Amino acid sequence: MELKFGFNSIDLQVLRAFCEREGERIVYQKGEQMEREDEPAQWFCFVLEGCFKYTVRGISDGKEHITWFSFEGEFACDFPTCLYGRPSMTTIEAMLNTRVLRVSGKQMISLLCQNMKTMELRSLISEHLLGQARARYLDFHRSTSRERYELLLRRCPGIVEHLPLNAIASFLNITPKTLSMIRRDITYGQ
């Protein structure tokens, strides 16, 4: 499997093996939603190929804001709400045709509560997600727009070849025009 976007920082083989053994192979077409904001979350997917975006609607402007991505070699879900069927906090949508191994949140909670080893895995997943969210939050406070773009390129080297610039700009919380200016400055060495 060619990794198009980057590498995950934790070993997900146990989750992948579980999804292969207990789940089903699904293809989400570009634009198809896996979860919808405010509706019960129900799926845990291991991404084999493709990419999902996580979006929320602005409270006052109603606009879509991209908050996260899940790339191949990673899992995609609204964790931990999918474990309990609680309302999803985000809409998760395929940005490309995306192949996954999919299990239900009920299946996943059953796995994660089996024994101490799987409970440790649950803790590891939670710590990983908290660490990613914290790093993103801190980046908004300590980095310029250009620095956030450069960090994203280091974390996900192939992202600009596979996703539209307006999606990347939304994720960075900048306008597409600002992103174009940053890219021009980088290209021409400014």
Side-chain angles (χ1 to χ4, degrees):
M1 168 176 62
E2 174 192 0
L3 288 176
K4 293 184 177 110
F5 300 104
F7 301 95
N8 203 304
S9 62
I10 61 174
D11 182 6
L12 299 175
Q13 288 309 310
V14 171
L15 295 174
R16 181 181 178 147
F18 177 74
C19 291
E20 285 176 339
R21 187 175 62 253
E22 302 293 328
E24 57 184 336
R25 290 181 180 267
I26 299 289
V27 175
Y28 287 93
Q29 299 300 314
K30 179 180 178 178
E32 188 176 355
Q33 295 176 346
M34 180 179 81
E35 301 287 10
R36 187 184 304 257
E37 188 175 1
D38 295 326
E39 292 183 7
Q42 56 184 330
W43 302 115
F44 184 98
C45 297
F46 186 86
V47 182
L48 297 170
E49 181 180 17
C51 172
F52 287 101
K53 67 178 177 179
Y54 293 57
T55 63
V56 295
R57 292 274 170 209
I59 293 172
S60 59
D61 64 9
K63 292 182 181 176
E64 179 183 90
H65 300 275
I66 297 176
T67 60
W68 206 256
F69 296 107
S70 285
F71 303 113
E72 60 188 72
E74 299 178 334
F75 53 88
C77 64
D78 192 335
F79 192 89
T81 60
C82 71
L83 301 178
Y84 309 105
R86 293 184 191 139
S88 182
M89 297 175 68
T90 64
T91 295
I92 304 174
E93 179 181 314
M95 293 196 70
L96 313 164
N97 290 345
T98 302
R99 289 186 317 111
V100 302
L101 298 168
R102 184 176 81 177
V103 295
S104 71
K106 289 179 183 179
Q107 289 172 290
M108 187 54 58
I109 192 74
S110 178
L111 168 73
L112 296 175
C113 292
Q114 283 181 357
N115 55 47
M116 274 309 274
K117 188 171 182 163
T118 59
M119 290 184 82
E120 288 172 8
L121 176 60
R122 182 179 183 173
S123 177
L124 183 62
I125 293 167
S126 297
E127 290 171 11
H128 176 75
L129 291 173
L130 178 61
Q132 284 182 325
R134 183 175 165 92
R136 181 158 159 70
Y137 176 78
L138 294 174
D139 286 349
F140 276 116
H141 291 282
R142 66 179 168 205
S143 307
T144 65
S145 300
R146 179 178 174 155
E147 290 166 339
R148 288 196 311 272
Y149 178 67
E150 290 170 338
L151 284 169
L152 179 64
L153 291 179
R154 279 198 298 274
R155 291 177 185 149
C156 307
I159 197 167
V160 296
E161 286 88 26
H162 299 283
L163 301 180
L165 291 183
N166 64 338
I168 296 169
S170 176
F171 179 73
L172 296 172
N173 202 25
I174 59 177
T175 65
K177 182 177 180 180
T178 300
L179 181 55
S180 292
M181 290 176 7
I182 291 169
R183 289 170 48 88
R184 183 191 68 226
D185 290 349
I186 290 171
T187 301
Y188 296 108
Q190 299 180 2

